[in-house]
Amino acid sequence: MTSIHIPRWLRAPSPGWTTSADVIVVGSGIAGLTAALRLRERGVTVLLVTKTLLTEGSTAWAQGGIAAALADDDSPREHLHDTLVAGVGLCDVPAVTALVHEGPTRVRELVTLGAEFDRGSDGAISLTREGGHHRDRILHAGGDATGKEISRALIEALHRVKGDPGIEVIEHALVVDLLQDDSSRVCGATIHVIGEGQIDGVGAAHCRAVVLATGGLGQIYSSTTNPPVATGDGMAIALRAGAVMADTEFVQFHPTVLFLGDDSTGQQPLISEAVRGEGAFLVDVHGVRFMQGVHPLADLAPRDVVSRAIVKQMAATGTDHVFLDARHLGGEFLERRFPSIVASCREHGFDPATTLLPVAPAQHYASGGIRTDLNGRSSLPGLYACGECSCTGVHGANRLASNSLLEGLVFAHRIAEDIVERFEHGELPAVTPGPAAPQPPRDADPVEGPFSPALADTVLLRSAHRKAIQHAMTDGSGVVRSHSSLASTAAALAGLAAADDGVEGGPKSWETTNLLHLGQLLTHVATLREETRGGHVRSDFPDRDDAQWLGHLAAVRMPDGILATSFHPTEPQDLS
Ligand SMILES: Cc1cc2nc3c(=O)[nH]c(=O)nc-3n(C[C@H](O)[C@H](O)[C@H](O)COP(=O)(O)OP(=O)(O)OC[C@H]3O[C@@H](n4cnc5c(N)ncnc54)[C@H](O)[C@@H]3O)c2cc1C
């Protein structure tokens, strides 16, 4: 395989303003908002920046719910077991243990904060079941609008501290790259703000620690359930700065995304697993149920199993979709339990109460990302990551349904506690970016720094290349991969990487270049992993191969820009 060069910086104008805070939190989903609120509560000054509006991100789109072992007949131990099974041997047991044991407390705190989950006639919070769970442990809100309600509660809590000078919130603020001192310690970020007055355009924000909570990378594929902001920025930013990335090849494709025809691209309507949890089932174009016999949980098998079965059935029947049959659940029940899904289906001309719903797998979740420890620390001093952009080890090769909101909640909280404790011990003192980092302009004159294309390892692609990246990724690094498909994708991406158009920067080109760098990383590690496991499916290596591949692929950008990979074996897990 040819080596991959990842540049250090995205080309951007020299910073025209500066600001500072103890901690910069990037992103306003469940992870970013939780981290920011908790840090502020503990007396740390926070700058919270988000690319567009506070409400934008995958969190607000989450339908099914949030998992927590709250029922009398459930336990963290059983939640742990189901999570490990879904992760196909690659979950990090201490991380999952933290998730399932701390999850119930964090979810109760969310309720205290104001999140209103659906309740039964007895007033108790209703719990349902989703794929891969053996107990009813999914809390939901507004029927199928769980994320919206969680997002609302967190944003309202943020508004309650609006007058607090210790927390500054900037919307329409896109983080471009990280600032580091001489020892690679992360001590700030360059941020592009569409603002007014002093803070407008690219600036430099200095801090003692950065928390990346920038969500997923769904827009790297032609078809995804993720919103437009999910361009993998935080992952690409961390990669360029030299943070270790892990498990990037494990991408979850949701099996039941409404199929709107081949030409339909971008964010597609998701039909939550919870609909199958309530009794809907899959049939092929001939009306034949095909999940029975494939897995003991049949239609509620883990997502990778269902996605793969759908791809196989589509190939066998020569079609590009299968159908979800929810008609027997009845219009009244469907409208009450899944109001958003029913409305979205009807908007596209399908009534789940009367018609079969055409569905096909589409990108849904990035199981890997910025490698962190149990406290959310990345491999770079001063850099933390939580939520979908991180790889805490909770998901292994495949995420269990409704574990991602919980992961954001639990690990953002852990990060806040860790930062407070370190600050109390005098760790992470304020530093200024060293000569290797871009310098803000002095006085009115912009200074030459690594932002200057002539002096630095910079790159930027025109946003017009985004479709080419998405097509290459979908064709070769998508639901089913092979050596030859991955090689074609790698070649297409290398061609694009060589075509630096000399553009000067702007949100769309920064996002597009982030997608390119992540596409190169993902395709590279997907080529190396010669087996099928979880969200990584190889047609040329159709079986799981524990003898060779029971472990994690890590990747890091070396100081010379070359992407280096390493394999880290793990111990077999006894899941009997
Ligand atoms: C349709 C759908 C349904 C889902 N259903 C469920 C479910 O039922 N249960 C579950 O557990 N999970 C579900 N998920 C997954 C879950 O919603 C996400 O994994 C989770 O919300 C991620 O939270 P986050 O805080 O990490 O990121 P997000 O909520 O995606 O937030 C990321 C934030 O970072 C900001 N950002 C990104 N780049 C930059 C940048 N460069 N500069 C500044 N800000 C930036 C974004 O604008 C956004 O505010 C679903 C996802 C989708 C898309």
Side-chain angles (χ1 to χ4, degrees):
M1 273 195 288
T2 46
S3 61
I4 293 170
H5 177 263
I6 304 283
R8 171 61 187 90
W9 309 104
L10 294 186
R11 191 154 52 248
S14 295
W17 52 267
T18 57
T19 187
S20 65
D22 287 335
V23 179
I24 301 173
V25 177
V26 189
S28 56
I30 190 167
L33 289 171
T34 303
L37 285 166
R38 184 71 189 153
L39 280 163
R40 187 59 208 135
E41 209 178 296
R42 303 293 312 274
V44 172
T45 65
V46 177
L47 170 63
L48 172 68
V49 293
T50 190
K51 190 153 72 169
T52 55
L53 297 172
L54 279 173
T55 46
E56 293 296 316
S58 290
T59 296
W61 287 91
Q63 296 176 342
I66 184 164
L70 293 175
D72 290 343
D73 66 348
D74 197 5
S75 66
R77 193 177 50 80
E78 287 171 89
H79 190 182
L80 175 102
H81 182 271
D82 289 346
T83 304
L84 297 185
V85 170
V88 208
L90 291 192
C91 294
D92 184 43
V93 177
V96 183
T97 303
L99 179 88
V100 298
H101 282 273
E102 294 169 23
T105 306
R106 298 287 91 83
V107 168
R108 284 189 198 102
E109 285 169 1
L110 205 52
V111 174
T112 309
L113 193 83
E116 290 181 15
F117 291 104
D118 295 337
R119 292 174 184 269
S121 50
D122 59 354
I125 288 176
S126 308
L127 298 168
T128 188
R129 199 172 293 206
E130 286 189 311
H133 292 271
H134 285 82
R135 295 276 180 215
D136 291 347
R137 64 169 73 102
I138 317 297
L139 296 87
H140 45 88
D144 56 2
T146 312
K148 211 172 179 175
E149 173 57 14
I150 291 175
S151 178
R152 181 203 62 76
L154 289 168
I155 290 172
E156 272 189 17
L158 191 66
H159 286 153
R160 289 200 284 272
V161 293
K162 211 171 185 175
D164 179 349
I167 183 161
E168 186 181 4
V169 179
I170 313 182
E171 292 181 306
H172 299 291
L174 178 146
V175 170
V176 182
D177 269 312
L178 291 171
L179 299 174
Q180 289 168 284
D181 74 358
D182 286 342
S183 61
S184 294
R185 157 110 183 264
V186 172
C187 53
T190 52
I191 307 176
H192 176 264
V193 179
I194 302 172
E196 287 172 352
Q198 288 206 313
I199 294 197
D200 187 19
V202 173
H206 299 152
C207 62
R208 297 172 67 183
V210 172
V211 179
L212 290 175
T214 49
L217 50 65
Q219 295 294 329
I220 208 168
Y221 291 101
S222 303
S223 160
T224 176
T225 62
N226 292 189
V229 290
T231 49
D233 297 1
M235 296 185 210
I237 287 166
L239 171 69
R240 283 193 298 272
V244 171
M245 311 293 291
D247 294 348
T248 327
E249 66 275 31
F250 296 115
V251 178
Q252 189 173 86
F253 291 84
H254 197 290
T256 52
V257 177
L258 199 60
F259 179 75
L260 301 173
D262 281 339
D263 302 338
S264 195
T265 57
Q267 188 180 17
Q268 309 290 309
L270 171 71
I271 302 178
S272 163
E273 220 131 27
V275 180
R276 275 173 286 138
E278 298 290 357
F281 53 83
L282 290 159
V283 294
D284 68 14
V285 284
H286 304 301
V288 177
R289 287 187 75 165
F290 55 89
M291 282 311 298
Q292 286 150 330
V294 171
H295 189 276
L297 289 168
D299 290 88
L300 281 174
R303 287 178 182 168
D304 59 314
V305 176
V306 182
S307 284
R308 232 175 301 162
I310 291 177
V311 169
K312 198 169 160 199
Q313 206 66 15
M314 293 193 310
T317 53
T319 52
D320 43 20
H321 61 277
V322 294
F323 290 106
L324 185 68
D325 193 346
R327 293 173 298 181
H328 56 288
L329 299 179
E332 192 268 325
F333 173 79
L334 285 166
E335 278 173 31
R336 179 168 38 82
R337 178 68 181 84
F338 303 111
S340 316
I341 295 174
V342 170
S344 155
C345 288
R346 285 185 180 153
E347 211 174 285
H348 292 95
F350 303 100
D351 186 344
T354 54
T355 46
L356 292 172
L357 303 173
V359 292
Q363 194 283 346
H364 186 53
Y365 186 79
S367 296
I370 305 160
R371 186 71 179 118
T372 64
D373 68 8
L374 283 175
N375 290 318
R377 298 185 198 182
S378 77
S379 63
L380 290 176
L383 180 65
Y384 288 79
C386 53
E388 192 167 340
C389 71
S390 69
C391 177
T392 59
V394 151
H395 307 301
N398 195 19
R399 173 185 71 116
L400 182 66
S402 287
N403 265 357
S404 41
L405 289 172
L406 189 69
E407 182 197 32
L409 198 60
V410 166
F411 284 87
H413 193 275
R414 284 187 150 245
I415 286 176
E417 296 304 310
D418 189 61
I419 288 177
V420 169
E421 201 180 310
R422 291 176 85 184
F423 282 5
E424 281 170 2
H425 289 95
E427 288 181 49
L428 299 174
V431 287
T432 42
Q439 296 295 318
R442 282 179 223 110
D443 303 320
D445 297 329
V447 291
E448 283 285 294
F451 282 108
S452 157
L455 296 180
D457 186 14
T458 64
V459 71
L460 201 59
L461 276 199
R462 217 175 271 284
S463 62
H465 292 307
R466 188 180 292 211
K467 275 212 166 100
I469 296 169
Q470 292 169 332
H471 281 139
M473 289 300 294
T474 305
D475 290 349
S477 297
V479 191
V480 180
R481 306 153 179 180
S482 69
H483 183 82
S484 62
S485 78
L486 288 159
S488 303
T489 298
L493 297 180
L496 288 166
D500 182 346
D501 303 313
V503 283
E504 275 309 313
K508 291 293 164 210
S509 26
W510 287 318
E511 287 179 346
T512 301
T513 316
N514 285 333
L515 292 174
L516 172 73
H517 292 160
L518 287 181
Q520 289 182 289
L521 164 66
L522 198 161
T523 303
H524 190 67
V525 287
T527 307
L528 293 175
R529 186 174 283 278
E530 294 183 330
E531 66 157 352
T532 287
R533 182 189 299 268
H536 173 66
V537 178
R538 290 279 301 250
S539 58
D540 46 353
F541 295 96
D543 300 317
R544 169 177 164 179
D545 180 359
D546 278 354
Q548 305 235 37
W549 289 107
L550 186 64
H552 303 275
L553 273 167
V556 67
R557 176 192 180 274
M558 302 306 283
D560 62 359
I562 299 299
L563 190 70
T565 55
S566 52
F567 181 69
H568 305 266
T570 55
E571 290 297 314
Q573 292 163 2
D574 179 11
L575 298 176
S576 53

